[in-house]
Amino acid sequence: MRETASGLGSRPGGGSAIGRRWPLFTVLAFGYAFLYVPVLLLILYSFNESRLVTVWAGFSTKWYGELLRNQQLLDAAWLSVRIAAVNASIAVVLGTLAANALVRHGRFRGRTGFELLLTAPLVMPDVIIGLSLLLLFVAMQQVLGWPPGRGFTTITIAHITFSMAYVAVIVRARLARMERSLEEAAMDLGARPLRVYLSITLPLIAPALLAGWLLAFTLSLDDLVIASFVSGPGATTLPMLIYASVRMGVSPQINALATIIVALVTLAVVIAGLTMRRPKGERT
């Protein structure tokens, strides 16, 4: 009888626990809906027959065909992708070097100033960064004759300036938490520091490098304010073109292009997740 009574007494407690959790689930559901329902609506309206992006007139894929014939939009997208790829690759290299200097070399002369300069782009407004870089490029062109005008080169340099700061923060956190026993063992066995870094350190921080590259690529692809300052005629990025087209009314071609970008980003994230997943036998 006591066991039965105790068993019956435990049921209300379990039910109350579930009752306490449903507000959390509700808030979580509303949070995900707030983030992803607009994206789903954008994908849905990319198949809209109507020229008006807010009026549904039936299913159609014609705007994808119109997108492929819009050379201006394709050129802007290709320019943004090239800038983002070059920016992310260089930012990963520079950010990794900066993180190594801060984590592995302890106290050195000028460390405080170096940290301040490295983290400044994280908190500085984009308007200030864009204006200061514009003045720098104008002065360099007058004194050195380089860069010749403003376009791909100036936008890429500007994006590297703030992207490497984000990469340095990510890689620095990974290096600070990483055990150095494997590196020390390899050096004890006679491996040179460069060999240790390439064979042991880089594979261990590879997830942070990949995360930094993807973040730098996304930040570059999304930037509007800084690119507006340092770009010139004939160098219009995709965000700049979309922002300019909003004044005349958004075309459904923008929805089609955004859907393609979402599909490519989702595919890249899935591939990255599958690549970085370790076999079950290697998990500890």
Side-chain angles (χ1 to χ4, degrees):
M1 293 294 293
R2 291 180 181 178
E3 293 179 358
T4 304
S6 62
L8 292 174
S10 63
R11 292 178 182 177
S16 61
I18 296 176
R20 288 193 300 268
R21 290 179 181 177
W22 76 263
L24 177 61
F25 293 148
T26 303
V27 172
L28 187 63
F30 275 108
Y32 277 112
F34 180 80
L35 291 174
Y36 294 108
V37 167
V39 178
L40 295 177
L41 289 176
L42 181 146
I43 296 174
L44 175 63
Y45 275 90
S46 69
F47 298 98
N48 187 14
E49 174 72 24
S50 175
R51 182 175 294 274
L52 301 176
V53 294
T54 57
V55 178
W56 181 261
F59 182 86
S60 175
T61 59
K62 71 175 184 179
W63 298 114
Y64 289 88
E66 294 291 335
L67 173 63
L68 296 177
R69 290 189 290 269
N70 190 334
Q71 193 60 42
Q72 183 182 13
L73 195 59
L74 294 177
D75 290 342
W78 177 236
L79 177 64
S80 295
V81 169
R82 288 190 293 126
I83 291 174
V86 175
N87 157 72
S89 301
I90 299 178
V92 164
V93 175
L94 297 179
T96 302
L97 293 175
N100 274 278
L102 294 174
V103 176
R104 296 297 177 86
H105 295 281
R107 305 296 302 180
F108 55 86
R109 186 176 182 181
R111 177 188 174 95
T112 302
F114 180 70
E115 286 190 87
L116 291 175
L117 291 175
L118 185 63
T119 57
L122 299 176
V123 297
M124 192 174 299
D126 290 346
V127 175
I128 303 300
I129 297 177
L131 181 58
S132 61
L133 288 173
L134 172 62
L135 297 177
L136 173 64
F137 291 142
V138 171
M140 290 177 59
Q141 186 178 10
Q142 292 176 350
V143 176
L144 304 176
W146 186 90
R150 292 184 294 277
F152 176 88
T153 303
T154 55
I155 298 175
T156 303
I157 294 174
H159 286 182
I160 293 171
T161 302
F162 67 85
S163 295
M164 64 174 291
Y166 290 90
V167 175
V169 170
I170 297 174
V171 178
R172 181 182 182 182
R174 181 68 182 94
L175 285 172
R177 295 195 306 266
M178 191 180 72
E179 293 289 341
R180 302 195 62 180
S181 57
L182 291 177
E183 296 174 307
E184 293 172 353
M187 287 187 288
D188 289 340
L189 293 174
R192 296 182 178 274
L194 180 60
R195 178 68 176 177
V196 172
Y197 192 83
L198 295 178
S199 301
I200 297 177
T201 307
L202 280 183
L204 290 177
I205 66 174
L209 298 179
L210 178 60
W213 194 94
L214 292 175
L215 179 59
F217 185 90
T218 303
L219 290 172
S220 176
L221 198 64
D222 183 62
D223 176 65
L224 170 64
V225 178
I226 297 178
S228 299
F229 278 96
V230 299
S231 64
T236 302
T237 62
L238 185 60
M240 295 170 59
L241 183 63
I242 293 176
Y243 180 75
S245 66
V246 169
R247 302 178 181 179
M248 305 299 295
V250 179
S251 170
Q253 298 178 36
I254 303 299
N255 292 348
L257 178 62
T259 301
I260 295 175
I261 293 176
V262 170
L264 293 177
V265 170
T266 303
L267 180 62
V269 171
V270 171
I271 294 176
L274 295 176
T275 303
M276 301 307 301
R277 179 184 299 176
R278 293 182 299 175
K280 293 183 178 180
E282 298 181 3
R283 296 180 183 177
T284 56

